[in-house]
Amino acid sequence: MDSPASGTATRSSLPRVVAASLIGTTIEWYDYFLYGTSAALVFGKLFFPHSDPLTGTLLSFLTYAIGFAARPLGALVFGHFGDRVGRKKLLVVSLLLMGGSTTAIGLLPTYDSIGVAAPVLLTALRLVQGFALGGEWGGAVLLVSEHGDRRRRGFWASWPQSGAPAGNLLAAGVLSLLTTVQSDAEFLSWGWRVPFLLSALLVAVGMWIRLAVDESPLFKAALAAQQARETVEQPPLVSVLKHHWREVLVAMGARMAENISYYVMTTFVLTYAVTHAHFGKQSALNAVLIGSAVQFALIPLFGALSDRVGRRPVYLVGAVGVGVWAFVFFGMVDTRSFGSLVLAVTVGLVFHSAMYAPQAAFFSELFATRMRYSGASIGAQFSSVAAGAPAPLIATALLKDYGSATPISVYVAVAAVITVLAVLCGRETRGQDLADVADVEAREADTTPAAKPATA
């Protein structure tokens, strides 16, 4: 058995922590993906009505991409305080910010009502979403990683990762239901608001569950040890960049193919399928719905596999697979067969799962406890500005300029090469005891003598 210092929880508490992280991340990703899906289908018409359809979608995706710009700021702020005062408190704040901004989007007037102020307000709320999500991911995966033990960390830590497809599943499912029971006119008039307003109810449920879990025992032990040393720590960001800059670069590179392929194959594909391959909105949404359901089931399996064979081998299979599949993906969509569309999205998400599942444990095991929230969040979220943020925007622009999906496939393949190189440069972390990383921190962290213990 691992020692308490290494973060092992009781059998009863670990599933509760996993459930709290999964439900919380599902709600936050529901909010985030709901925006992306709506940007692909309706926001161009509602907030940029004087542009041609593809340009309107391009502008809509631009507001979508702007949200990613706030994610690094969220990573810095939430990482700093998460490493100082704990993971749980920051996760509560991130959930409130995300839910509040999403509900407010559902109440926004459109361009026809208030003119240019409508897209300005939409962009501002998108920035709040990005800020909240920038702090959410690191806290959620660390809370689970630091409660569990090293033998099955890949499996348990992959469950918060399942919140992404679960959130996408929920968002696409609600929108698919509404497009089924409503006419296009009704959906554009008021139906699109319903999924955003539902976020208020989901956040209430998520808050009730998150407030019931305990703080990470590993974090509490590290905080007590730091206070006992009676030293003043440098900010987590400074320590991360001094002691873990290589790991930050590995994490950023590892995210490139994972992030770009996901947003191309779940968000941009909605635009491509509807405007280029002439599928109905419901068919495109249903394809993403089915693929997300499969991915939700696969992520814990790939997480468990990473406990057996290592984080890097599983991650590399996903990166190589998605780079190759990108050249098959659009050809299958172009057949205009619903079965081919479903298969294209599902297989793409299978390869994505092989990267996404071990990512939580992999990144957690790279950093020391008192800088882990900052390190994991910086590595994950700073790369999203170059990867996920512009992915639908770049894909839409390439399609508009070339009238072909081949340049988009090349774009995904280049990202896959970057990820393969980054993962190969990283060390294998399977079996890493997080307490051992904490010991390294105690020896190497920048501290100066002080008359009293450091505080948050």
Side-chain angles (χ1 to χ4, degrees):
M1 294 288 291
D2 289 340
S3 67
S6 67
T8 303
T10 64
R11 289 186 178 182
S12 60
S13 64
L14 181 56
R16 184 169 65 246
V17 171
V18 171
S21 292
L22 172 60
I23 292 171
T25 53
T26 297
I27 293 169
E28 295 224 19
W29 281 112
Y30 164 82
D31 292 347
Y32 208 72
F33 286 137
L34 184 61
Y35 189 103
T37 305
S38 298
L41 297 178
V42 298
F43 280 173
K45 299 175 183 177
L46 295 171
F47 293 94
F48 306 98
H50 300 305
S51 303
D52 66 82
L54 200 55
T55 301
T57 301
L58 196 62
L59 291 170
S60 185
F61 276 145
L62 182 60
T63 68
Y64 169 81
I66 286 172
F68 283 80
R71 286 169 68 168
L73 179 60
L76 291 173
V77 174
F78 280 81
H80 175 86
F81 289 102
D83 283 329
R84 287 294 178 262
V85 303
R87 288 58 165 124
K88 175 182 171 179
K89 294 176 182 177
L90 274 296
L91 285 174
V92 170
V93 174
S94 70
L95 188 60
L96 287 173
L97 285 175
M98 179 66 84
S101 58
T102 302
T103 303
I105 290 174
L107 299 172
L108 271 184
T110 62
Y111 187 94
D112 289 341
S113 299
I114 60 173
V116 72
V120 170
L121 290 172
L122 180 68
T123 302
L125 291 171
R126 178 62 175 174
L127 285 169
V128 176
Q129 281 191 324
F131 179 78
L133 193 63
E136 159 68 23
W137 181 85
V141 300
L142 293 189
L143 197 63
V144 175
S145 295
E146 293 178 348
H147 270 86
D149 63 66
R150 56 183 166 183
R151 293 186 299 274
R152 302 191 68 195
R153 186 176 297 123
F155 171 72
W156 289 115
S158 69
W159 279 101
Q161 302 290 79
S162 295
N168 204 5
L169 187 67
L170 189 59
V174 171
L175 287 171
S176 179
L177 176 63
L178 288 170
T179 56
T180 301
V181 301
Q182 290 185 313
S183 66
D184 286 346
E186 289 174 326
F187 184 72
L188 283 173
S189 175
W190 61 270
W192 68 273
R193 298 181 183 275
V194 174
F196 289 91
L197 297 176
L198 282 175
S199 180
L201 177 61
L202 295 175
V203 167
V205 175
M207 286 291 295
W208 175 67
I209 294 172
R210 275 202 169 164
L211 288 172
V213 301
D214 295 327
E215 180 57 80
S216 155
L218 187 60
F219 171 80
K220 290 190 289 186
L223 178 60
Q226 164 59 28
Q227 292 174 337
R229 289 195 295 268
E230 297 189 351
T231 56
V232 174
E233 295 176 300
Q234 287 195 350
L237 174 61
V238 175
S239 297
V240 165
L241 295 182
K242 181 171 183 178
H243 298 295
H244 291 295
W245 63 269
R246 292 180 182 84
E247 287 81 3
V248 168
L249 292 178
V250 168
M252 291 177 67
R255 284 274 284 173
M256 295 302 290
E258 176 267 307
N259 222 217
I260 288 173
S261 65
Y262 189 79
Y263 288 105
V264 167
M265 295 180 181
T266 60
T267 301
F268 170 73
V269 72
L270 297 174
T271 295
Y272 186 86
V274 172
T275 64
H276 193 77
H278 305 295
F279 282 96
K281 290 179 184 178
Q282 185 180 351
S283 295
L285 284 167
N286 286 343
V288 174
L289 198 68
I290 294 169
S292 296
V294 173
Q295 186 178 33
F296 179 81
L298 282 178
I299 284 179
L301 299 180
F302 278 119
L305 182 62
S306 76
D307 286 327
R308 298 179 64 86
V309 304
R311 317 296 186 216
R312 295 202 312 168
V314 177
Y315 213 115
L316 288 170
V317 167
V320 173
V322 83
V324 174
W325 188 250
F327 291 94
V328 181
F329 180 83
F330 290 103
M332 296 186 69
V333 178
D334 286 339
T335 64
R336 299 180 182 177
S337 162
F338 178 69
S340 294
L341 174 63
V342 170
L343 186 61
V345 173
T346 301
V347 174
L349 291 180
V350 169
F351 287 124
H352 177 267
S353 299
M355 293 182 284
Y356 200 55
Q359 188 180 98
F362 185 34
F363 289 8
S364 298
E365 292 159 345
L366 292 174
F367 301 98
T369 303
R370 291 285 282 162
M371 58 187 85
R372 184 171 291 129
Y373 203 142
S374 295
S377 296
I378 290 169
Q381 303 306 335
F382 272 68
S383 60
S384 69
V385 176
L393 191 65
I394 290 173
T396 303
L398 289 172
L399 179 64
K400 185 177 182 181
D401 289 344
Y402 293 94
S404 167
T406 301
I408 304 172
S409 301
V410 173
Y411 168 52
V412 175
V414 170
V417 171
I418 295 173
T419 291
V420 167
L421 292 175
V423 174
L424 288 175
C425 289
R427 59 185 172 85
E428 177 56 62
T429 61
R430 177 176 67 97
Q432 173 74 59
D433 190 336
L434 296 183
D436 291 342
V437 188
D439 289 340
V440 172
E441 172 194 14
R443 293 194 301 269
E444 296 184 351
D446 291 323
T447 59
T448 56
K452 59 181 180 179
T455 62

